[in-house]
Amino acid sequence: MARRLRRGAFLHTLLGAMVAAVAVTGLVAPAAQAEAPLLWGAHPNPRAGESEQGATTRLETLADRKLAAVRLFYLWDSAFPSTYENNLKASGSTLVISVKARRENGTAVPWSSLATAEPGSAVHADMVRWAQRVRDWGAPIYVTFNHEPEASSNRDLGNAAQYIAAWQKWVSIFRAEGATNAKFMWIMTDQSFWLPTTDSRASYRWYPGDDEVDGIAGDAYNWFTCRPGIVNAWKSLRQIIDPQRRFWLDHQSEELWLTEYGTVEDPAVPGRKAQWYRDAQALFKEPDFAAFDGVMQFESVPSATCRWSPDTSATTGTAWREWGQDAYYGGTGTPPPTKTAALVVGNGAAPAAVDADIADRLRNRGYTVTILDDGTVNAADVSEASVVLITQSIGQAQIGTRLRTSTRPIVLWKPSVYDEFGMTAADGNTLDGTAVQIANAGHPLAAGRSGTVTVTSATSALPRGAAGANAAVIATVSGQASLFAYQAGVAMPGLTAPACRIAVPMVSQGIPRMTADGLALFDTAVDHAAAGCP
């Protein structure tokens, strides 16, 4: 059948429905805004003494904005809608609701009974009732039948075949009842997209089909140490959701959502959760991940061991608010100042592919890029740049001391010119390997990483050097500094730093050879330098 509305047209219909609602109810309609590339929302979880509305207001106060999407959970015989949901509709929030095949008293509603339900039966009437309530609610809404069906908590409800049949019956009833305002969101755990096809929980076994689905979604968590008796490796959001993205590549007519995400704090590395949020904020702007239509923070219950909430520390709350204020996510804060990068390369007229890749990455991350030749560049050429980057392709003789005394922040990864820039007493060197060892996990340049961090996908010549006594050494390769920095005004081995200077473990093969962690270190160094190395 023909594909249904994509999100942009869907939400345009939402505005029309809200205008109609205003005419009838007298409610004040929210001001129309340009659609953000991605909906940014949450599942608010009430704390002691809070109502659902109070929990939503608390999160919106923290974010200093409205939640564009709100995730809500219902049991089979739950009431819908309430004043709370109607308030969300009036304020312009898009609802993403999940209805589980279990009654409020805990009784299961087996999927097989739904799949075979005939008109006149009690469970068929229940499905009709849900369809009519959603239809009569009168605004576009995302509806999920039994999210995370493969999870162990749903084993008493049936198997994959019964789930798919029940899903299809659910969708057919909604369509028969004229609930054209509903989009059907299929939601799985992030683990299901990782599992081999031989595993009964693997995502593809539970997929109802493109004609029965409007959105493919995952619930994604960085568990780390919060599961009793289990220690998981710290994972970035990129690592967790990339398998879901790759699954979606075979179903690109559907929307792509992250309906739950969360991470815990790392008590040993202050600021690591905040950096996880910053990495996630940057992630969805990358070409491979720009297909996502919505991302939603999950709030855990206050007593939970796994504290997913975005205010578990002051720095975490700030990072989450900055994410929400980003215009890419519909934020209303003041746009950040324009960032400019001067990229100094070996051939300014015809940059090598490795340099072009770096320029593209900078542009995708919001930088205006000027490419300059190592043989002609001078301090005046870079005097207005937020950050200057010296690539591996430059020649030692060509660059010489042209930018040695530049008063702009500089990031470089050509070890043979560390001494030209005064950062080491002699040339740096390289050592073949794939990983660096984090020496100062609490430093902003560590990007929330700790321990041994694999930065390249294959053995490569990792740059390093003998950093001076006043350098902040963040990461090493076999005992020598590979990621190190000097603040403006401190004594380096060759001169007093005119501005901050940062050496990074980028390799000559460039971005294609770097891992997600390696690129996170690189991106963080560039952003830190562009901000003046605070």
Side-chain angles (χ1 to χ4, degrees):
M1 63 180 297
R3 287 264 47 91
R4 292 167 292 281
L5 291 173
R6 295 291 291 173
R7 184 172 66 85
F10 187 60
L11 295 182
H12 180 76
T13 304
L14 170 63
L15 282 176
M18 290 173 61
V19 169
V22 168
V24 173
T25 66
L27 294 170
V28 177
Q33 296 179 340
E35 184 194 354
L38 192 151
L39 287 183
W40 191 83
H43 165 63
N45 207 318
R47 298 178 181 177
E50 278 187 337
S51 62
E52 288 180 303
Q53 185 61 60
T56 302
T57 300
R58 171 175 46 77
L59 279 184
E60 291 182 335
T61 300
L62 175 63
D64 193 24
R65 57 162 289 175
K66 297 294 294 182
L67 295 174
V70 177
R71 178 91 187 271
L72 299 174
F73 300 90
Y74 302 89
L75 293 169
W76 194 248
D77 48 354
S78 296
F80 175 87
S82 69
T83 300
Y84 170 59
E85 287 95 344
N86 284 322
N87 285 342
L88 290 172
K89 178 175 65 174
S91 71
S93 294
T94 298
L95 263 60
V96 180
I97 72 170
S98 295
V99 181
K100 195 166 190 175
R102 193 179 304 281
R103 300 186 187 279
E104 291 187 353
N105 64 6
T107 303
V109 182
W111 295 328
S112 60
S113 70
L114 301 177
T116 59
E118 296 292 338
S121 66
V123 290
H124 190 278
D126 289 338
M127 289 187 281
V128 168
R129 191 158 38 248
W130 268 109
Q132 291 174 344
R133 286 183 292 178
V134 166
R135 178 199 65 198
D136 295 345
W137 193 56
I141 185 172
Y142 291 88
V143 178
T144 297
F145 170 75
N146 222 114
H147 71 287
E148 301 181 4
E150 85 291 7
S152 59
S153 60
N154 291 317
R155 285 176 184 163
D156 61 331
L157 299 178
N159 58 34
Q162 292 164 341
Y163 165 77
I164 289 172
W167 174 286
Q168 293 171 344
K169 175 60 72 73
W170 171 269
V171 170
S172 70
I173 289 175
F174 270 67
R175 291 174 178 165
E177 293 299 322
T180 56
N181 58 321
K183 276 196 167 187
F184 302 102
M185 187 87 82
W186 178 68
I187 302 176
M188 301 288 284
T189 65
D190 61 82
Q191 182 189 33
S192 72
F193 296 100
W194 283 84
L195 293 171
T197 56
T198 54
D199 195 301
S200 63
R201 299 165 296 168
S203 56
Y204 88 97
R205 293 176 177 270
W206 299 80
Y207 189 58
D210 286 350
D211 286 341
E212 315 298 330
V213 169
D214 296 302
I216 292 171
D219 293 342
Y221 292 94
N222 174 35
W223 295 92
F224 197 39
T225 58
C226 76
R227 283 175 164 169
I230 301 174
V231 177
N232 297 276
W234 181 274
K235 290 185 176 67
S236 67
L237 190 58
R238 177 197 301 272
Q239 291 173 291
I240 299 167
I241 68 173
D242 192 51
Q244 177 194 342
R245 181 190 67 83
R246 286 188 274 110
F247 178 94
W248 169 84
L249 290 174
D250 292 328
H251 309 277
Q252 293 186 42
S253 59
E254 316 307 332
E255 293 186 20
L256 182 60
W257 279 68
L258 194 58
T259 41
E260 295 177 25
Y261 69 80
T263 180
V264 293
E265 299 274 3
D266 181 353
V269 185
R272 198 175 192 187
K273 179 172 178 175
Q275 186 61 48
W276 193 92
Y277 280 145
R278 295 188 188 100
D279 291 345
Q281 178 184 348
L283 176 65
F284 296 104
K285 299 178 184 179
E286 295 182 15
D288 283 349
F289 289 85
F292 276 83
D293 291 284
V295 296
M296 307 181 76
Q297 165 76 48
F298 182 82
E299 266 211 303
S300 52
V301 295
S303 61
T305 303
C306 300
R307 299 182 63 209
W308 307 121
S309 302
D311 59 352
T312 47
S313 71
T315 54
T316 294
T318 297
W320 192 69
R321 179 168 59 252
E322 290 172 351
W323 183 358
Q325 286 293 308
D326 189 330
Y328 186 83
Y329 300 90
T332 57
T334 303
T338 300
K339 301 181 293 184
T340 57
L343 187 66
V344 183
V345 304
N347 187 342
V354 67
D355 293 328
D357 284 346
I358 291 169
D360 285 343
R361 185 172 187 86
L362 293 170
R363 294 186 186 104
N364 288 335
R365 301 188 65 252
Y367 287 86
T368 299
V369 180
T370 301
I371 297 178
L372 301 167
D373 191 276
D374 61 348
T376 58
V377 67
N378 59 51
D381 294 331
V382 303
S383 62
E384 300 298 322
S386 305
V387 59
V388 180
L389 294 91
I390 313 295
T391 77
Q392 280 261 20
S393 70
I394 61 104
Q396 184 176 11
Q398 284 73 26
I399 192 74
T401 58
R402 290 176 179 276
L403 299 179
R404 179 181 175 91
T405 59
S406 169
T407 57
R408 305 312 303 150
I410 292 177
V411 176
L412 71 165
W413 55 98
K414 177 84 169 182
S416 63
V417 300
Y418 287 169
D419 55 335
E420 272 78 7
F421 284 85
M423 298 171 67
T424 58
D427 286 357
N429 59 84
T430 62
L431 186 69
D432 287 349
T434 60
V436 299
Q437 289 73 47
I438 300 297
N440 185 353
H443 195 284
L445 289 174
R449 275 65 181 176
S450 63
T452 299
V453 176
T454 300
V455 295
T456 69
S457 58
T459 299
S460 309
L462 296 173
R464 60 182 196 154
N470 293 320
V473 177
I474 295 92
T476 63
V477 172
S478 292
Q480 256 193 354
S482 184
L483 175 56
F484 60 101
Y486 296 94
Q487 290 289 111
V490 308
M492 302 189 296
L495 77 159
T496 298
C500 67
R501 302 287 190 255
I502 305 175
V504 294
M506 173 66 81
V507 296
S508 61
Q509 296 89 348
I511 290 172
R513 182 66 66 88
M514 300 293 286
T515 65
D517 284 332
L519 288 173
L521 294 175
F522 175 77
D523 291 343
T524 299
V526 175
D527 291 346
H528 190 70
C533 297

